[in-house]
Amino acid sequence: MKRKKHSIPSPRVSQRSNKAKGKVVDELCPYFDNIPSHITVQILLQLPIESLLICKCVCKMWKTLISEPHFAKLHFERRPSLMIRTKDHRVSRTLYLLECQPEKFEIGTDNHVKLQPFKLPLRDANSKFGEKQNKIKNKSKCPYIASKPDLDKFGIVNSCNGLLCLCDPSNGNPLVICNPVTGEFIRLPEATTTPTLNTTRVTREQRLTALGFLPKTNEYKVIKMLVRYGKRVNDRESVILEINTLGTPSWRNVEADSQVSIPLLKYPTCVNGALHWIGFEGGFAGRPRSILCFCLESERFQSFPSPPQVFGNHNNTTRGNSKITMGELKGFLYICDSTFFTDVTMWVMNDYGNGESWTKLYNIDPLVSSFGSPDPSPYLSHYGLCFPIKHFEEGAAVLLYHPCNWFIYYEPEKYGFKVFQIHGPDPNFVEIIPHIPSLISLKDVVKGDNIEVLNIHSRCAKFKLHEENEALSLSQPIDGDLESLRSLFYYDSD
Amino acid sequence: MAQEASSSTSSKTISLKTGDGEIFEIEASAAKQMKTVQRLIDDLGDDITIPLHNVFSKELPKIIEYYKKDITGEITKDFEAEFVKDLNDDEVKVLFLAANYLDANKLFEFLSQNIADRLESKSVEYVRKYFGVENDFTPEEESKLREERAWSFRGIKEDE
C-alpha cells in the first residue's frame, strides 16, 4: 500500500523546532490564528453572556459570529436560562438572568450567588435625561433619580428571537423593542388615533400586543389590536388591527377577518413565522378553549389545532384556577398544564400545524409521590408555574415555581429535583420571562435610518435608581431538597 | 523524556513519534480515541511508528495520561480538575490545539470548556492576544463598542 502523506498541514513545525523548547508566548500566538472558526465558536459557546459581550469587541468577524441569532440559539441550548424581574410596586427596570445549570444550584446553605443584572430602559427617560444632564457634569458620583412606576415602568409583553417587547402597563400599548443584553432599544412609532365608536354599545374591550418574527423575510413585526365587544350576545366584535414592521416609521392598519371570533387571548408565542395565543372563554377567570394563530406573512388570523385532551379537562371545577401556559422551546410549540399541581403535564406539537402531533410528553408529580400524601395543601393550587428548560427528549428539564420564590428544578435523568430560592429586597413575587439571551444588534434588525437605535448604557446608565442597590441572589434552602419544601407547604407534617 | 515501558503483552501498543523526534507508547484502545492517529494506523499499519508532526514531547505525555484514564473509565471531575490545575493559559492552549489536531474529541471538549472558564474574566486585549486576532475596528467603532459594554463589569464581579 502506498504510504499516504497525512493531509493535515504543519506549517509551524520548522519555526518551533528552531527555537528553544521553553514557552515563548509570541510564538504560540500565531499558532492559534489560523484555527477554523468552528473551533473558536466551540469555545465561545461555553462562555457566559457577560463574556460574550467582551468577545464581541475583539474583532469584526467575532462580532458577526456572536451576534447571529443562530449562535444565540446554540448558546442557549448549552446554557439554558430565564429572565426574572421583581414584581412589586416599584419600577424594577432590571432583569436578572437565572441560569439553569444544576451544578450552580448546589452552593451550600450559607451562600448567596448574585444573579447577573440587565437593564431595561425607563419609559420617561427623556425628561429625566434633560433635567439631570447639568448635574452630572458637576458630580463625580452617579446621581440618583426619582422614578415613578406609573411613568417609568414598562410591562413586558413577550420575547421573540432575543428581543423583548415592552408596553405601557396601564393600557398594553406597545412602546419599545429592546435587547436587554446589549442594552439597545428602539421606540415604536407613535400610535395613530383610533376611531371612536359608539361607546354605549361597548361593554368591554381587549388590547392585545405581540412581537413576532418572520424568518422568510427576516423581519420583526409588532401587532397591536383593539377588540371591542358589544353588549348583546350576537354583536360582532369590532377589531382594529395595526402592524408595525420594525424599521418602518409608522403603523399600518390591517383589516381583520370578521369571521374569526376573538376570545380573551393570553401567552403570545411566536413559532414558525406566526403568533399564537391561548383563547379563554368566559372572561378573565375563564377556561382555556382554543388556540388562535396569526400568520405574520399573510397577516391574517386562522384557527389552529389544540390538544383536545388538555382543554377538555377544564370544566367548572377548575374555573378560575386553570394554569395553562404556552410557549416555545427549540422551535416547538408547547403547552404546559400545571393546574393540578400534583400532575404537571407538558404537551408538545411535534409537527407544526398538525393537530394529531400534539404529544403528551410527561407528567411530573413533584410533591405527591415524594411524600405519599394524597392531599397537598390548597396553598399549592394557587401558584406553580412550569417552564421547560431543556429540550424535551434529551433529559428533559423543567423549572417549577412555587410561592415565596421557591423554585424546583427537575431533571429526572441526571439530577432529580433541585430546590433553590431567590432572595431580593422585596422577595414576594417575581415575574418569569422565558427569553433567549442574544447579542443580536437592533441596528441589523432595523436596517436603514428610519428608526434611531438607542442604547441604555450610553444614556440612562449614568443614573441610578434607589432600588438598584439591591440585587437578586440565589440561595439554597436548608437541605436543598423537597423535604424542606414539605414543611412549608404541608399543614400537617408528621 | 525516554520511552515509557511498554504495557502488558496482551494489549497492543502503538508507537507515536512527536514532531521533535521523541517516541511514546500508547495502548491501541487509547489510540482509537484519537481519530487522526487511528487514520494513520489504518494507512500505515500498526507496526510502524506513527509520526505526529504537529504534536510535541511536551504535550503528548499529558494527552496519553488523559486517555489512559479514559479507557479504564476513570475520568472524574476531580481528575479533570487536577489535570488542568497546574497548566497555565498557554499550556492549555497548546494541549487544546494538539487535541484538535489529533481529533481527540473528549479531550477537545473538556479543554474548550477549560479555556472558556479561563477567558471568563479577561479583558478584550487579553482575548485578542490569546487568539492571535487583530483588532480591525476603527477607533470610533471601538469606542462605541466600549461604551456599550462598559457596564458589564459593573455587575457581579466588581461588587465583590
Side-chain angles (χ1 to χ4, degrees):
Chain A
M1 189 165 102
K2 191 174 176 205
R3 181 186 273 241
K4 264 198 229 168
K5 208 174 169 202
H6 64 86
S7 52
I8 300 165
S10 49
R12 313 288 170 200
V13 174
S14 52
Q15 270 180 309
R16 276 203 68 152
S17 54
N18 287 340
K19 310 233 167 137
K21 285 223 183 124
K23 296 184 292 292
V24 179
V25 173
D26 289 342
E27 285 175 39
L28 296 172
C29 283
Y31 206 37
F32 230 31
D33 67 357
N34 277 348
I35 59 171
S37 59
H38 77 266
I39 295 188
T40 311
V41 167
Q42 168 82 1
I43 297 179
L44 293 176
L45 282 176
Q46 322 238 40
L47 285 169
I49 279 276
E50 314 87 76
S51 305
L52 285 179
L53 278 159
I54 306 246
C55 290
K56 201 178 163 184
C57 305
V58 163
C59 69
K60 287 186 180 168
M61 187 190 85
W62 281 37
K63 181 167 183 254
T64 314
L65 263 177
I66 293 174
S67 307
E68 268 188 346
H70 185 64
F71 179 87
K73 293 203 169 91
L74 285 176
H75 186 264
F76 179 75
E77 276 166 38
R78 285 204 191 209
R79 299 176 79 110
S81 57
L82 292 166
M83 290 288 198
I84 292 186
R85 182 167 77 152
T86 51
K87 197 173 167 179
D88 56 22
H89 58 280
R90 292 168 302 174
V91 172
S92 59
R93 68 161 171 167
T94 312
L95 287 181
Y96 295 88
L97 184 73
L98 175 65
E99 285 192 298
C100 297
Q101 292 176 298
E103 307 84 42
K104 289 207 168 157
F105 298 150
E106 284 178 349
I107 48 178
T109 49
D110 290 329
N111 271 336
H112 281 229
V113 175
K114 280 195 190 168
L115 298 181
Q116 176 70 11
F118 295 99
K119 286 199 180 22
L120 294 177
L122 290 173
R123 252 163 66 209
D124 197 29
N126 277 328
S127 63
K128 298 188 169 42
F129 196 59
E131 285 163 25
K132 297 289 176 179
Q133 187 71 350
N134 293 327
K135 289 195 181 172
I136 297 168
K137 289 178 187 152
N138 300 330
K139 288 188 183 166
S140 51
K141 265 177 75 179
C142 271
Y144 280 88
I145 54 170
S147 58
K148 297 190 184 99
D150 345 339
L151 290 177
D152 289 314
K153 191 168 180 177
F154 274 118
I156 296 177
V157 176
N158 70 326
S159 161
C160 175
N161 232 26
L163 297 180
L164 286 179
C165 179
L166 305 177
C167 70
D168 179 339
S170 62
N171 59 21
N173 198 29
L175 296 173
V176 158
I177 304 290
C178 85
N179 181 340
V181 173
T182 61
E184 290 174 325
F185 66 99
I186 58 171
R187 293 195 192 277
L188 292 171
E190 295 274 322
T192 48
T193 49
T194 48
T196 50
L197 284 164
N198 187 345
T199 49
T200 55
R201 289 184 52 206
V202 174
T203 48
R204 58 187 175 94
E205 54 181 42
Q206 183 184 191
R207 285 176 192 271
L208 209 62
T209 302
L211 170 67
F213 177 66
L214 186 55
K216 204 168 173 186
T217 54
N218 208 28
E219 287 176 327
Y220 287 83
K221 295 189 182 181
V222 184
I223 84 163
K224 185 163 72 160
M225 203 158 67
L226 175 59
V227 186
R228 284 178 169 146
Y229 301 90
K231 269 190 192 148
R232 294 180 296 231
V233 176
N234 292 330
D235 271 352
R236 280 246 167 269
E237 308 127 8
S238 78
V239 180
I240 300 170
L241 177 60
E242 293 174 277
I243 298 185
N244 172 259
T245 305
L246 284 197
T248 61
S250 60
W251 292 91
R252 284 179 284 126
N253 256 303
V254 172
E255 208 181 294
D257 186 353
S258 56
Q259 298 304 313
V260 178
S261 153
I262 299 181
L264 177 70
L265 298 175
K266 286 205 239 179
Y267 309 112
T269 307
C270 184
V271 169
N272 231 36
L275 282 165
H276 309 73
W277 291 265
I278 296 186
F280 288 78
E281 236 172 66
F284 192 69
R287 298 172 289 256
R289 272 283 177 259
S290 57
I291 297 180
L292 193 61
C293 165
F294 183 79
C295 174
L296 289 169
E297 191 178 358
S298 62
E299 297 183 348
R300 291 262 172 275
F301 275 104
Q302 49 204 55
S303 66
F304 196 81
S306 58
Q309 304 94 315
V310 180
F311 292 169
N313 275 344
H314 292 260
N315 47 34
N316 283 324
T317 56
T318 58
R319 189 188 177 92
N321 280 333
S322 295
K323 199 137 271 111
I324 297 230
T325 55
M326 182 163 74
E328 175 259 329
L329 189 67
K330 243 188 148 181
F332 292 96
L333 199 59
Y334 72 80
I335 286 190
C336 179
D337 183 357
S338 47
T339 307
F340 306 101
F341 207 69
T342 54
D343 183 19
V344 175
T345 53
M346 189 75 64
W347 296 76
V348 159
M349 182 174 244
N350 279 321
D351 181 20
Y352 182 78
N354 178 0
E356 316 263 306
S357 71
W358 276 110
T359 314
K360 183 179 195 176
L361 276 188
Y362 41 75
N363 293 17
I364 303 169
D365 199 355
L367 290 177
V368 174
S369 61
S370 306
F371 301 130
S373 162
D375 294 318
S377 149
Y379 194 25
L380 276 178
S381 62
H382 292 303
Y383 303 98
L385 297 174
C386 183
F387 300 90
I389 303 294
K390 275 204 196 153
H391 190 55
F392 309 108
E393 286 124 33
E394 314 128 18
V398 149
L399 191 68
L400 302 156
Y401 172 43
H402 268 264
C404 299
N405 292 347
W406 290 80
F407 289 78
I408 303 179
Y409 176 83
Y410 179 52
E411 189 171 345
E413 277 168 42
K414 268 183 169 176
Y415 300 99
F417 292 100
K418 289 248 177 280
V419 178
F420 62 95
Q421 199 175 18
I422 300 288
H423 288 277
D426 192 359
N428 286 329
F429 301 108
V430 293
E431 183 187 352
I432 299 174
I433 302 134
H435 172 77
I436 298 181
S438 145
L439 280 102
I440 186 175
S441 172
L442 273 173
K443 297 187 187 114
D444 296 331
V445 169
V446 157
K447 293 178 265 220
D449 293 326
N450 276 327
I451 305 284
E452 193 191 354
V453 176
L454 303 160
N455 195 304
I456 305 168
H457 304 304
S458 36
R459 290 161 51 102
C460 300
K462 297 182 189 74
F463 310 134
K464 279 195 96 160
L465 304 185
H466 282 281
E467 298 83 39
E468 283 166 351
N469 279 330
E470 307 131 344
L472 283 189
S473 59
L474 191 150
S475 74
Q476 190 184 6
I478 309 148
D479 289 311
D481 60 18
L482 293 179
E483 279 302 312
S484 24
L485 262 193
R486 177 186 188 168
S487 55
L488 265 193
F489 300 127
Y490 284 77
Y491 294 141
D492 53 340
S493 47
D494 359 17
Chain B
M1 274 174 90
Q3 271 185 326
E4 286 180 11
S6 32
S7 35
S8 65
T9 46
S10 55
S11 55
K12 179 98 183 156
T13 62
I14 310 280
S15 293
L16 301 175
K17 186 172 176 184
T18 65
D20 47 347
E22 300 214 14
I23 298 186
F24 297 91
E25 306 266 327
I26 56 162
E27 316 232 341
S29 46
K32 263 209 172 59
Q33 304 297 324
M34 307 181 209
K35 299 207 192 91
T36 305
V37 174
Q38 190 57 51
R39 278 198 290 270
L40 288 170
I41 292 174
D42 293 340
D43 284 351
L44 305 171
D46 54 9
D47 290 330
I48 296 180
T49 304
I50 308 287
L52 297 174
H53 296 307
N54 266 353
V55 184
F56 298 90
S57 51
K58 205 158 197 303
E59 306 91 72
L60 194 55
K62 263 297 218 188
I63 299 176
I64 292 175
E65 178 195 333
Y66 186 86
Y67 277 101
K68 242 196 191 142
K69 276 278 186 184
D70 183 44
I71 54 179
T72 56
E74 277 170 32
I75 294 195
T76 59
K77 282 247 179 283
D78 289 335
F79 170 74
E80 288 187 328
E82 196 59 39
F83 189 77
V84 289
K85 197 173 75 164
D86 295 321
L87 298 174
N88 68 26
D89 290 350
D90 292 309
E91 287 166 330
V92 140
K93 187 162 70 171
V94 169
L95 261 181
F96 175 72
L97 288 170
N100 176 51
Y101 170 79
L102 292 170
D103 209 347
N105 215 25
K106 196 159 179 183
L107 183 61
F108 178 78
E109 293 255 346
F110 165 55
L111 291 176
S112 67
Q113 177 68 67
N114 190 249
I115 291 182
D117 292 342
R118 287 161 190 260
L119 291 177
E120 236 178 85
S121 46
K122 298 292 203 298
S123 66
V124 179
E125 288 77 24
Y126 186 91
V127 176
R128 277 192 195 130
K129 198 151 181 243
Y130 193 78
F131 281 85
V133 169
E134 277 209 27
N135 177 13
D136 55 355
F137 288 116
T138 66
E140 301 91 54
E141 286 171 338
E142 173 123 40
S143 66
K144 198 93 209 284
L145 281 171
R146 204 173 284 270
E147 182 187 60
E148 284 172 10
R149 67 165 164 89
W151 67 276
S152 62
F153 277 129
R154 263 199 265 137
I156 303 169
K157 295 194 165 70
E158 216 174 75
D159 291 345
E160 282 170 2

